mmCIF file of all heavy atoms in Angstrom:
data_model
loop_
_atom_site.group_PDB
_atom_site.id
_atom_site.type_symbol
_atom_site.label_atom_id
_atom_site.label_comp_id
_atom_site.label_asym_id
_atom_site.label_seq_id
_atom_site.Cartn_x
_atom_site.Cartn_y
_atom_site.Cartn_z
ATOM 1 N N HIS Y 9 -6.151 16.593 -5.278
ATOM 2 C CA HIS Y 9 -5.371 17.830 -5.640
ATOM 3 C C HIS Y 9 -6.356 18.824 -6.243
ATOM 4 O O HIS Y 9 -6.492 19.896 -5.858
ATOM 5 C CB HIS Y 9 -4.174 17.475 -6.487
ATOM 6 C CG HIS Y 9 -3.258 18.580 -6.850
ATOM 7 N ND1 HIS Y 9 -3.588 19.527 -7.758
ATOM 8 C CD2 HIS Y 9 -2.008 18.819 -6.462
ATOM 9 C CE1 HIS Y 9 -2.549 20.365 -7.913
ATOM 10 N NE2 HIS Y 9 -1.558 20.031 -7.090
ATOM 11 N N HIS Y 10 -6.897 18.395 -7.427
ATOM 12 C CA HIS Y 10 -7.871 19.079 -8.080
ATOM 13 C C HIS Y 10 -8.943 18.210 -8.744
ATOM 14 O O HIS Y 10 -8.689 17.037 -8.936
ATOM 15 C CB HIS Y 10 -7.261 20.063 -9.067
ATOM 16 C CG HIS Y 10 -6.462 19.450 -10.205
ATOM 17 N ND1 HIS Y 10 -5.169 19.211 -10.146
ATOM 18 C CD2 HIS Y 10 -6.898 19.103 -11.494
ATOM 19 C CE1 HIS Y 10 -4.717 18.641 -11.293
ATOM 20 N NE2 HIS Y 10 -5.774 18.586 -12.082
ATOM 21 N N VAL Y 11 -10.007 18.801 -9.188
ATOM 22 C CA VAL Y 11 -11.060 18.141 -9.997
ATOM 23 C C VAL Y 11 -11.212 18.990 -11.216
ATOM 24 O O VAL Y 11 -11.360 20.253 -11.117
ATOM 25 C CB VAL Y 11 -12.348 18.026 -9.262
ATOM 26 C CG1 VAL Y 11 -13.461 17.345 -10.158
ATOM 27 C CG2 VAL Y 11 -12.185 17.164 -7.997
ATOM 28 N N THR Y 12 -11.205 18.360 -12.475
ATOM 29 C CA THR Y 12 -11.294 19.151 -13.669
ATOM 30 C C THR Y 12 -12.509 18.660 -14.479
ATOM 31 O O THR Y 12 -12.721 17.445 -14.688
ATOM 32 C CB THR Y 12 -10.005 18.991 -14.538
ATOM 33 O OG1 THR Y 12 -8.930 19.517 -13.786
ATOM 34 C CG2 THR Y 12 -10.198 19.596 -15.891
ATOM 35 N N HIS Y 47 -8.148 27.220 -19.623
ATOM 36 C CA HIS Y 47 -8.205 26.304 -18.423
ATOM 37 C C HIS Y 47 -8.327 27.314 -17.255
ATOM 38 O O HIS Y 47 -7.395 28.060 -17.002
ATOM 39 C CB HIS Y 47 -6.968 25.438 -18.416
ATOM 40 C CG HIS Y 47 -7.062 24.358 -17.342
ATOM 41 N ND1 HIS Y 47 -6.046 23.469 -17.201
ATOM 42 C CD2 HIS Y 47 -8.049 24.015 -16.540
ATOM 43 C CE1 HIS Y 47 -6.389 22.591 -16.224
ATOM 44 N NE2 HIS Y 47 -7.619 22.901 -15.788
ATOM 45 N N TYR Y 49 -9.080 27.977 -13.205
ATOM 46 C CA TYR Y 49 -8.862 27.318 -11.861
ATOM 47 C C TYR Y 49 -9.453 28.123 -10.766
ATOM 48 O O TYR Y 49 -9.141 29.324 -10.651
ATOM 49 C CB TYR Y 49 -7.332 27.217 -11.564
ATOM 50 C CG TYR Y 49 -6.544 26.272 -12.378
ATOM 51 C CD1 TYR Y 49 -6.146 26.659 -13.686
ATOM 52 C CD2 TYR Y 49 -6.052 25.038 -11.899
ATOM 53 C CE1 TYR Y 49 -5.304 25.793 -14.472
ATOM 54 C CE2 TYR Y 49 -5.327 24.161 -12.647
ATOM 55 C CZ TYR Y 49 -4.870 24.528 -13.911
ATOM 56 O OH TYR Y 49 -4.053 23.749 -14.623
ATOM 57 N N THR Y 62 -11.277 22.932 -11.459
ATOM 58 C CA THR Y 62 -10.762 23.590 -12.719
ATOM 59 C C THR Y 62 -11.738 23.205 -13.849
ATOM 60 O O THR Y 62 -12.450 22.177 -13.782
ATOM 61 C CB THR Y 62 -9.374 23.193 -12.996
ATOM 62 O OG1 THR Y 62 -9.281 22.075 -13.957
ATOM 63 C CG2 THR Y 62 -8.571 22.693 -11.758
ATOM 64 N N PHE Y 64 -12.337 23.323 -18.360
ATOM 65 C CA PHE Y 64 -12.085 23.484 -19.718
ATOM 66 C C PHE Y 64 -13.448 23.925 -20.347
ATOM 67 O O PHE Y 64 -14.347 23.093 -20.572
ATOM 68 C CB PHE Y 64 -11.645 22.247 -20.470
ATOM 69 C CG PHE Y 64 -10.339 21.536 -19.962
ATOM 70 C CD1 PHE Y 64 -10.270 20.169 -19.794
ATOM 71 C CD2 PHE Y 64 -9.198 22.339 -19.695
ATOM 72 C CE1 PHE Y 64 -9.099 19.561 -19.357
ATOM 73 C CE2 PHE Y 64 -8.038 21.741 -19.271
ATOM 74 C CZ PHE Y 64 -8.045 20.355 -19.052
ATOM 75 N N HIS Y 217 -14.016 15.733 -16.108
ATOM 76 C CA HIS Y 217 -13.043 15.084 -17.096
ATOM 77 C C HIS Y 217 -12.025 14.172 -16.310
ATOM 78 O O HIS Y 217 -11.711 13.122 -16.880
ATOM 79 C CB HIS Y 217 -12.264 16.229 -17.760
ATOM 80 C CG HIS Y 217 -11.377 15.857 -18.814
ATOM 81 N ND1 HIS Y 217 -9.956 15.550 -18.577
ATOM 82 C CD2 HIS Y 217 -11.553 15.514 -20.137
ATOM 83 C CE1 HIS Y 217 -9.425 15.224 -19.670
ATOM 84 N NE2 HIS Y 217 -10.392 15.163 -20.631
ATOM 85 N N HIS Y 218 -11.510 14.606 -15.174
ATOM 86 C CA HIS Y 218 -10.569 13.739 -14.398
ATOM 87 C C HIS Y 218 -10.459 14.312 -13.001
ATOM 88 O O HIS Y 218 -10.837 15.394 -12.695
ATOM 89 C CB HIS Y 218 -9.240 13.721 -15.080
ATOM 90 C CG HIS Y 218 -8.413 14.949 -15.132
ATOM 91 N ND1 HIS Y 218 -8.544 15.921 -16.165
ATOM 92 C CD2 HIS Y 218 -7.639 15.580 -14.187
ATOM 93 C CE1 HIS Y 218 -7.769 16.952 -15.947
ATOM 94 N NE2 HIS Y 218 -7.253 16.779 -14.731
ATOM 95 N N ILE Y 219 -10.033 13.444 -12.117
ATOM 96 C CA ILE Y 219 -9.771 13.862 -10.746
ATOM 97 C C ILE Y 219 -8.270 13.643 -10.487
ATOM 98 O O ILE Y 219 -7.702 12.569 -10.937
ATOM 99 C CB ILE Y 219 -10.526 13.138 -9.687
ATOM 100 C CG1 ILE Y 219 -10.401 11.653 -9.733
ATOM 101 C CG2 ILE Y 219 -12.028 13.535 -9.853
ATOM 102 C CD1 ILE Y 219 -11.101 10.965 -8.572
ATOM 103 N N ALA Y 220 -7.691 14.653 -9.774
ATOM 104 C CA ALA Y 220 -6.230 14.494 -9.532
ATOM 105 C C ALA Y 220 -5.935 14.393 -8.007
ATOM 106 O O ALA Y 220 -6.635 14.965 -7.199
ATOM 107 C CB ALA Y 220 -5.525 15.776 -9.995
ATOM 108 N N ARG Y 249 2.889 20.743 -16.116
ATOM 109 C CA ARG Y 249 1.777 21.653 -16.276
ATOM 110 C C ARG Y 249 2.001 23.036 -15.683
ATOM 111 O O ARG Y 249 1.040 23.703 -15.301
ATOM 112 C CB ARG Y 249 0.530 20.987 -15.552
ATOM 113 C CG ARG Y 249 0.091 19.676 -16.144
ATOM 114 C CD ARG Y 249 -0.168 19.722 -17.618
ATOM 115 N NE ARG Y 249 -0.884 18.609 -18.110
ATOM 116 C CZ ARG Y 249 -1.044 18.375 -19.465
ATOM 117 N NH1 ARG Y 249 -0.523 19.213 -20.342
ATOM 118 N NH2 ARG Y 249 -1.700 17.280 -19.827
ATOM 119 N N PHE Y 252 2.119 22.450 -11.536
ATOM 120 C CA PHE Y 252 2.353 21.132 -10.871
ATOM 121 C C PHE Y 252 2.912 20.248 -12.018
ATOM 122 O O PHE Y 252 2.835 20.557 -13.172
ATOM 123 C CB PHE Y 252 1.036 20.577 -10.318
ATOM 124 C CG PHE Y 252 -0.200 20.694 -11.216
ATOM 125 C CD1 PHE Y 252 -0.432 19.677 -12.116
ATOM 126 C CD2 PHE Y 252 -1.021 21.769 -11.112
ATOM 127 C CE1 PHE Y 252 -1.526 19.787 -12.973
ATOM 128 C CE2 PHE Y 252 -2.116 21.883 -11.949
ATOM 129 C CZ PHE Y 252 -2.437 20.899 -12.924
ATOM 130 N N ALA Y 254 2.323 16.317 -13.625
ATOM 131 C CA ALA Y 254 1.075 15.434 -13.643
ATOM 132 C C ALA Y 254 1.522 14.190 -14.329
ATOM 133 O O ALA Y 254 2.339 14.021 -15.220
ATOM 134 C CB ALA Y 254 0.042 16.168 -14.420
ATOM 135 N N TYR Y 256 -0.999 10.554 -15.566
ATOM 136 C CA TYR Y 256 -2.389 10.229 -15.772
ATOM 137 C C TYR Y 256 -2.466 8.734 -16.032
ATOM 138 O O TYR Y 256 -1.621 8.128 -16.640
ATOM 139 C CB TYR Y 256 -3.035 10.928 -16.975
ATOM 140 C CG TYR Y 256 -2.926 12.440 -16.924
ATOM 141 C CD1 TYR Y 256 -1.716 13.081 -17.417
ATOM 142 C CD2 TYR Y 256 -3.930 13.143 -16.452
ATOM 143 C CE1 TYR Y 256 -1.652 14.494 -17.335
ATOM 144 C CE2 TYR Y 256 -3.921 14.554 -16.373
ATOM 145 C CZ TYR Y 256 -2.698 15.249 -16.869
ATOM 146 O OH TYR Y 256 -2.666 16.582 -16.795
ATOM 147 N N GLU Y 266 -5.468 11.318 -12.204
ATOM 148 C CA GLU Y 266 -4.195 12.056 -12.317
ATOM 149 C C GLU Y 266 -3.446 12.028 -10.964
ATOM 150 O O GLU Y 266 -4.180 12.037 -9.956
ATOM 151 C CB GLU Y 266 -4.464 13.483 -12.768
ATOM 152 C CG GLU Y 266 -3.244 14.489 -12.831
ATOM 153 C CD GLU Y 266 -3.604 15.801 -13.190
ATOM 154 O OE1 GLU Y 266 -4.716 16.136 -13.639
ATOM 155 O OE2 GLU Y 266 -2.651 16.765 -12.943
ATOM 156 N N ALA Y 268 -0.800 14.589 -9.170
ATOM 157 C CA ALA Y 268 -0.219 15.886 -9.321
ATOM 158 C C ALA Y 268 0.561 16.319 -8.137
ATOM 159 O O ALA Y 268 0.174 16.013 -6.990
ATOM 160 C CB ALA Y 268 -1.306 16.944 -9.583
HETATM 161 ZN ZN1 LIG E 401 -5.579 17.746 -13.908
#
Side-chain angles (χ1 to χ4, degrees):
H9 184 287
H10 62 271
V11 174
T12 295
H47 194 177
Y49 291 76
T62 100
F64 299 135
H217 184 268
H218 64 268
I219 57 173
R249 297 304 192 193
F252 47 88
Y256 303 87
E266 173 183 346

